Amino acid sequence: SKMTVKAVKMPCTAPNVYTKVPDGGWGWTIAFAFFFVEALTYGIIKSFGLFFNDLMESFDETNSRISWIISICVFVQTFTAPLSTVLSNRFGHRFVVMVGGVLVSTGMVTASFACTVVDMYVTIGIISGLGYCLCFLPTVTILSQYFDKRRSLVTAVASTGECFAVFSFAPAITALKEQIGWRYSLLSVGVLQLSIVACGLLLRPIIIKEQEEVKAQPPEEPAETKYMLENEQTRTSIESIDSGVEVTTSPSNVPGNTKAEPKSEEPKEHVQILTEHDSTPLQPKTKLLDFSVMRDYSFICYAFFGLFATLGFLAPSLYIIPLSLSLGISKDHSAYILSAMAIAEVFGRISAGWVLNKEPIRNIYIELICVVLLSVALFAFPFASEFWGLMTCSIFFGFMLGTVAGTHIPLLAEDDVVGIAKMSSAAGVYVFIQSLAGLAGPPLAGVLVDTTQNYSSAFYSCAAGMVLGAVFLSLVRPCKAGLCRRQQQRTEESAMEVVVDFPDDFIEMDIGKAENSGKGCDSV
């Protein structure tokens, strides 16, 4: 018979406890929160290009100096990723995201009162950049823990928040600037970002506890004395013989006991217990940040992919508005181009999530195909010379960007990279490595624009970085396969060393010793 003890309902602030990955449940609420966190973090960063010309005119600065605002922001966001991982493991995802929301809003609101571009470096670059890191990474990490089979699809759909944000913010901010100016528009954005705190409140941690089968002991056990042989291996070898030889002394054979108690042949009862205890058992401490992933060659290749691919993630979104204006396209039509790119990115993210969920081939190969096509999209921008050509390139780029941007971090949970067990630490280290490209990407594009006086050169630098990223991504699976083969060889070698050769008369010698021992006891 089986007995099931229902778990006690826990308050909303306590962790959700499941016997297996739920693939839903409270995870849908986490996905809802992640949608808005994406909208209010990366959605704002990608829409910042709308303020580029206003900041250049107000501060009388060049493209490269203005682009440092977002570069510092992205650098701080990615450079402090290990700090985000450590704080999340120490204080929990909910608290860290709420603190991040406060920092993001504070930096953006303060930036609206900036007098120089250096003030922007500090407010948006450092303060908001740190807040973005504390908001984004813990949210995507805990979302991956709530899903298994649907992880790729749910993450891709939830990450469309930034796309809808760009689509709605582009015309809204353009209209708002004409009414109240860029400073009050920036202030309004900062106040809106304070709602990240509410999203952080929804992030309940998750604990996976497998069901344990506990054998119920009989109420009364017969007293039985066993005289163990000196050689434990001998006892094991004797008991395994079909003849039933067993050196055991029951109560009837023990001096002083005249009454024999037969063994109970009743089957033992199995009890399944699912309980929640008030006092949690002691568990081994988990590392706040596990750098052992740096010894995995497949992860190193994947990290280099992220390093170079980041060059092509942000610069196009920042320079698409200046590029369209340089081609004589009006401000309203330029905003439409950015909005079209965002909508195409939505379809790209959903399509990538659906394909990855189906797994027609290994997910790492699907990602590689998308990165190659994204490189083609970046090379196509310099050939656009009018509105519809630029619109076509933007839609193609947006779609391919969605396939890569929405999946490259969740793919860390795949066994081809590091697996779900090391997802948290790997994400921190991975985003940390990306910080170098996040710092160098936009300023490098800005320097090329200032040197060549042509915005198309910015897209060439992005395309070159994406091609290098594709090269390293293609090496991930071969490195992982080679590592698995080496581990298998080590396991086989260690197993061969454990094999011990026993003499042919091993059993006979042990039985002889057992008989002599029995005669000695009888003589006593």
Side-chain angles (χ1 to χ4, degrees):
S1 61
K2 290 187 177 181
M3 179 180 68
T4 302
V5 181
K6 293 183 178 180
V8 180
K9 291 185 178 180
M10 310 181 77
C12 61
T13 56
N16 283 320
V17 182
Y18 296 94
T19 57
K20 63 179 182 179
V21 178
D23 250 343
W26 191 259
W28 298 116
T29 306
I30 304 293
F32 175 80
F34 181 58
F35 178 89
F36 283 98
V37 169
E38 276 270 343
L40 297 172
T41 54
Y42 278 104
I44 298 299
I45 292 176
K46 288 186 175 181
S47 302
F48 197 78
L50 296 167
F51 296 97
F52 249 57
N53 290 336
D54 299 301
L55 297 177
M56 290 171 61
E57 294 175 2
S58 298
F59 299 139
D60 192 21
E61 296 288 353
T62 61
N63 274 286
S64 59
R65 285 181 62 85
I66 297 298
S67 63
W68 273 104
I69 299 173
I70 293 300
S71 296
I72 295 174
C73 177
V74 174
F75 172 76
V76 172
Q77 175 190 358
T78 51
F79 185 80
T80 55
L83 173 64
S84 174
T85 300
V86 170
L87 293 177
S88 298
N89 292 336
R90 177 65 179 85
F91 300 105
H93 298 81
R94 176 189 288 120
F95 176 75
V96 173
V97 172
M98 292 173 65
V99 172
V102 173
L103 289 176
V104 168
S105 178
T106 301
M108 195 65 69
V109 169
T110 308
S112 64
F113 300 98
C115 298
T116 63
V117 70
V118 177
D119 297 336
M120 288 280 193
Y121 294 162
V122 176
T123 53
I124 295 180
I126 298 177
I127 299 177
S128 292
L130 178 60
Y132 287 139
C133 177
L134 298 182
C135 294
F136 173 75
L137 201 56
T139 311
V140 70
T141 300
I142 194 172
L143 177 64
S144 298
Q145 296 172 358
Y146 270 90
F147 291 91
D148 182 18
K149 296 179 180 178
R150 302 173 180 172
R151 184 187 300 131
S152 298
L153 180 60
V154 172
T155 305
V157 173
S159 66
T160 58
E162 69 177 79
C163 310
F164 283 106
V166 175
F167 172 74
S168 57
F169 288 164
I173 293 177
T174 301
L176 196 63
K177 285 194 304 177
E178 296 178 354
Q179 299 294 325
I180 60 177
W182 71 267
R183 289 187 180 273
Y184 286 106
S185 299
L186 207 60
L187 177 64
S188 303
V189 170
V191 173
L192 181 63
Q193 287 179 314
L194 192 61
S195 58
I196 295 176
V197 177
C199 296
L201 286 171
L202 301 175
L203 304 183
R204 293 180 63 179
I206 180 174
I207 297 176
I208 306 297
K209 288 185 177 180
E210 295 183 356
Q211 298 183 10
E212 295 182 356
E213 289 192 2
V214 183
K215 291 184 178 180
Q217 298 294 335
E220 295 182 0
E221 284 190 350
E224 186 176 9
T225 306
K226 287 192 176 183
Y227 294 94
M228 309 298 294
L229 297 177
E230 294 180 357
N231 190 342
E232 185 65 19
Q233 293 179 343
T234 304
R235 177 180 177 275
T236 304
S237 63
I238 294 174
E239 290 181 351
S240 64
I241 303 176
D242 294 335
S243 60
V245 178
E246 184 176 2
V247 183
T248 304
T249 305
S250 64
S252 58
N253 297 329
V254 177
N257 282 340
T258 58
K259 184 178 179 181
E261 296 182 3
K263 282 188 178 181
S264 176
E265 298 296 334
E266 296 180 358
K268 294 183 179 180
E269 186 181 41
H270 289 76
V271 181
Q272 278 192 342
I273 301 179
L274 296 176
T275 58
E276 287 300 328
H277 301 285
D278 293 335
S279 59
T280 57
L282 293 176
Q283 296 179 350
K285 288 186 176 181
T286 56
K287 295 181 180 179
L288 294 179
L289 188 62
D290 186 7
F291 278 101
S292 64
V293 294
M294 294 299 295
R295 295 196 296 267
D296 192 333
Y297 294 134
S298 61
F299 173 76
I300 293 175
C301 290
Y302 197 82
F304 274 110
F305 150 69
L307 176 69
F308 290 107
T310 304
L311 293 174
F313 283 165
L314 295 175
S317 300
L318 295 176
Y319 284 99
I320 189 65
I321 297 294
L323 175 62
S324 59
L325 294 176
S326 67
L327 295 175
I329 301 173
S330 64
K331 291 183 179 180
D332 292 337
H333 284 77
S334 299
Y336 293 152
I337 293 175
L338 188 60
S339 298
M341 181 188 295
I343 290 299
E345 189 176 344
V346 171
F347 288 102
R349 288 173 182 264
I350 296 176
S351 300
W354 181 79
V355 173
L356 291 174
N357 195 51
K358 294 293 182 181
E359 291 191 63
I361 56 176
R362 288 187 177 272
N363 288 343
I364 200 73
Y365 294 148
I366 299 174
E367 186 82 352
L368 178 60
I369 294 172
C370 295
V371 171
V372 172
L373 293 176
L374 182 57
S375 303
V376 175
L378 288 168
F379 276 115
F381 272 102
F383 298 97
S385 58
E386 41 84 30
F387 174 77
W388 287 110
L390 199 57
M391 176 68 80
T392 304
C393 292
S394 297
I395 292 174
F396 181 45
F397 170 79
F399 183 87
M400 298 316 305
L401 178 64
T403 61
V404 177
T407 57
H408 70 110
I409 292 181
L411 273 181
L412 289 167
E414 296 289 329
D415 292 333
D416 283 336
V417 189
V418 294
I420 188 63
K422 296 183 177 181
M423 165 71 177
S424 180
S425 294
V429 177
Y430 173 75
V431 178
F432 169 78
I433 294 174
Q434 280 186 289
S435 63
L436 300 177
L439 178 66
L444 174 61
V447 169
L448 291 174
V449 170
D450 291 337
T451 304
T452 62
Q453 297 297 312
N454 187 352
Y455 284 99
S456 297
S457 58
F459 293 88
Y460 282 126
S461 65
C462 298
M466 195 62 65
V467 169
L468 287 174
V471 172
F472 281 102
L473 183 60
S474 65
L475 299 175
V476 172
R477 176 59 189 167
C479 289
K480 193 67 173 183
L483 180 63
C484 293
R485 281 196 296 268
R486 285 194 296 270
Q487 291 178 347
Q488 185 177 2
Q489 290 175 357
R490 292 195 195 101
T491 304
E492 292 176 355
E493 291 174 358
S494 60
M496 292 176 64
E497 293 175 358
V498 174
V499 176
V500 180
D501 294 330
F502 295 102
D504 296 337
D505 58 347
F506 177 75
I507 301 297
E508 297 177 0
M509 294 170 59
D510 290 340
I511 293 176
K513 288 183 179 180
E515 290 177 353
N516 294 334
S517 177
K519 291 178 181 179
C521 291
D522 292 339
S523 62
V524 173

